[in-house]
Amino acid sequence: MDLLEKCRAYDRADEARDAGLYPFYPAFQGPAEGGQAVLDGAEVCVLGGNSYRALSLHAQVIGAAQDALALYGTSATGSRLLNGNLDLHEELEADLAGFFGYEAALIFGTGYMTNLGVVSALAGRGDHVYLDEKAHASLVDGARLAKSSGAVVHQFAHIDTEDLARQLAAGSTTSVLVATDGVFSMEGDLAPVAELVAVCEKFGATLLVDDAHGVGVFGRGRGVIEQAGMQGRVPLMTLTFSTSLASQGGAVLADAKTVDFLRHTSRPQLFSAGLSPADTAAAHAALREVRRRAEAEPDALSAAEFLRRALDAVGYDVAASASPVILVRFPDQLSLLSAQRLLLEHGVYTNALLPPACEGYQLRITCTDAHTPHVLEAAIGVFAALREDLLPRYRQMA
Ligand code: PMP
């Protein structure tokens, strides 16, 4: 059997394709944001994106990217260590550190690379990593790399600080990294940041919060750490630019010595090109906009609360959550994919989540500031109208 035999035998995606229910890799013809996107030539309302502050079409964000493109060209063309470092990167790092209340920041090519690069550089032989069992794949993969250089990796039960405390109490070292998402984008719930801080401080462990989905949304834009009143008590925070900051890239925030260590040791930093000028400038302009709007609660949160209640009222099985992520449970793959397709045919785009990405079969709906009451009413009308098509099957199978 040759290496590629497994590819030829792979038919999981074909099953859904053959049934006309394949939900992945939709190719939007234009921006995949807000109330009016175009998919397969038809107008759709995107209730399945991560652009929580709807900034990817903001005039100043686009303008900043265009200016950077004109002044710096298309690419940083190399590792920042040697030749790809721009003043744009350093200016953004200084502002990120200031806004989030850390001594320093370091930008990476994506949020995924940030977590991979931070966890694998900080943990190795003699160190222990404890991950929330639902932590993002990038933290998991960072831990796998750390394991390959000798770290011992553990999981604790999802948002269960007692389980974490039990495990840390039984351990024998304080050279420990505890890593969690701030907002769990596949579950919609928030990490118990204050409790995690208490446990980590008690056992001398170092806490990392990946706040990819909390930044821009919670805590006056500063994310779940600020929301929990824990500013200054979480030594490591990571984030992506691909959600509220409407760009591409990611960053870690930490004390100056840790950032300097990462600048010189983290392999995804050293062996990959600096972020492109346009992406850097777009993220910076979006950060300014998030800062400008800091005192106003994001519309994304009230939109999600409104939609969550409306879906619950018409009989959908909606999971509890306090984030812009709404999860509607379905009993099996067929009912989920059929629902996703039917909604799309009626102009509402949502995400179908299947194992192993999550537990069970869930429709993920995300709200952003672009979901005005008018847009939401229209979407709720579709969910209500399809209720009879979707719910009987639901009940039969539940
Ligand atoms: N962390 C979390 C929690 C995420 O959900 C994601 C993906 N949105 C990432 C990291 C990776 O971010 P990026 O898309 O910038 O690679």
Side-chain angles (χ1 to χ4, degrees):
M1 202 159 59
D2 71 37
L3 180 82
L4 301 182
E5 182 53 33
K6 59 174 102 45
C7 311
R8 291 188 283 275
Y10 180 78
D11 60 2
R12 239 190 114 195
D14 291 339
E15 286 166 20
R17 281 192 197 107
D18 293 347
L21 296 176
Y22 182 73
F24 304 124
Y25 292 95
F28 291 95
Q29 291 132 349
E33 177 167 309
Q36 284 180 327
V38 177
L39 189 55
D40 294 331
E43 211 169 84
V44 294
C45 169
V46 178
L47 278 171
N50 299 331
S51 181
Y52 300 117
R53 305 311 306 266
L55 289 173
S56 79
L57 294 173
H58 191 277
Q60 265 144 25
V61 177
I62 292 176
Q66 284 171 333
D67 290 349
L69 203 53
L71 286 169
Y72 291 78
T74 52
S75 169
T77 73
S79 166
R80 291 180 63 194
L81 184 75
L82 298 179
N83 49 35
N85 192 35
L86 303 173
D87 55 358
L88 293 180
H89 296 137
E90 298 195 353
E91 285 158 17
L92 174 55
E93 286 169 345
D95 270 3
L96 284 166
F99 183 64
F100 292 103
Y102 285 82
E103 278 179 17
L106 182 64
I107 299 172
F108 287 76
T110 63
Y112 179 93
M113 284 166 67
T114 308
N115 285 333
L116 199 74
V118 170
V119 175
S120 63
L122 294 180
R125 189 165 309 284
D127 304 320
H128 288 244
V129 181
Y130 290 80
L131 295 173
D132 183 291
E133 64 181 339
K134 303 284 188 197
H136 189 261
S138 51
L139 289 172
V140 174
D141 292 352
R144 285 181 180 163
L145 273 180
K147 189 173 172 186
S148 75
S149 53
V152 183
V153 178
H154 315 256
Q155 285 191 332
F156 59 96
H158 180 50
I159 62 172
D160 187 342
T161 45
E162 284 178 17
D163 183 36
L164 174 65
R166 258 192 310 274
Q167 294 196 42
L168 289 178
S172 57
T173 172
T174 53
S175 192
V176 168
L177 175 68
V178 172
T180 179
D181 296 17
V183 176
F184 291 84
S185 66
M186 297 289 173
E187 285 74 25
D189 50 2
L190 270 61
V193 177
E195 289 88 340
L196 285 167
V197 166
V199 170
C200 288
E201 286 180 354
K202 178 169 176 198
F203 292 98
T206 299
L207 178 60
L208 182 161
V209 174
D210 166 13
D211 209 11
H213 296 269
V215 161
V217 177
F218 293 105
R220 300 185 304 137
R222 290 160 176 86
V224 297
I225 295 171
E226 164 116 359
Q227 169 105 342
M230 290 293 114
Q231 310 90 296
R233 313 253 313 256
V234 177
L236 299 164
M237 172 177 168
T238 58
L239 54 93
T240 172
F241 299 159
S242 66
T243 55
S244 288
L245 297 183
S247 182
Q248 187 85 29
V252 58
L253 297 139
D255 65 89
K257 286 298 284 180
T258 300
V259 166
D260 196 45
F261 175 82
L262 292 170
R263 274 164 80 86
H264 295 98
T265 60
S266 177
R267 292 167 67 83
Q269 178 67 218
L270 301 180
F271 298 105
S272 187
L275 194 65
S276 86
D279 288 326
T280 311
H284 205 157
L287 177 69
R288 283 192 201 99
E289 189 57 25
V290 165
R291 188 166 52 200
R292 198 182 67 75
R293 297 183 191 173
E295 299 311 322
E297 165 138 325
D299 293 337
L301 282 176
S302 42
E305 185 53 25
F306 182 61
L307 188 52
R308 203 172 354 251
R309 280 173 201 266
L311 294 177
D312 186 56
V314 286
Y316 289 93
D317 182 6
V318 185
S321 109
S323 74
V325 181
I326 302 171
L327 293 158
V328 180
R329 301 184 200 104
F330 283 78
D332 59 20
Q333 178 161 320
L334 184 63
S335 61
L336 169 66
L337 295 185
S338 311
Q340 198 266 356
R341 173 62 46 167
L342 204 54
L343 287 163
L344 185 54
E345 283 166 3
H346 288 78
V348 176
Y349 179 75
T350 55
N351 303 144
L353 303 186
L354 305 174
C358 68
E359 236 160 70
Y361 301 91
Q362 313 195 60
L363 200 64
R364 179 170 69 164
I365 300 165
T366 48
C367 288
T368 74
D369 285 3
H371 296 121
T372 58
H374 174 72
V375 170
L376 284 182
E377 293 288 358
I380 290 166
V382 172
F383 278 102
L386 294 182
R387 181 179 171 280
E388 291 311 317
D389 291 314
L390 298 178
L391 292 186
R393 158 174 249 152
Y394 227 137
R395 285 198 206 97
Q396 253 171 31
M397 293 173 146

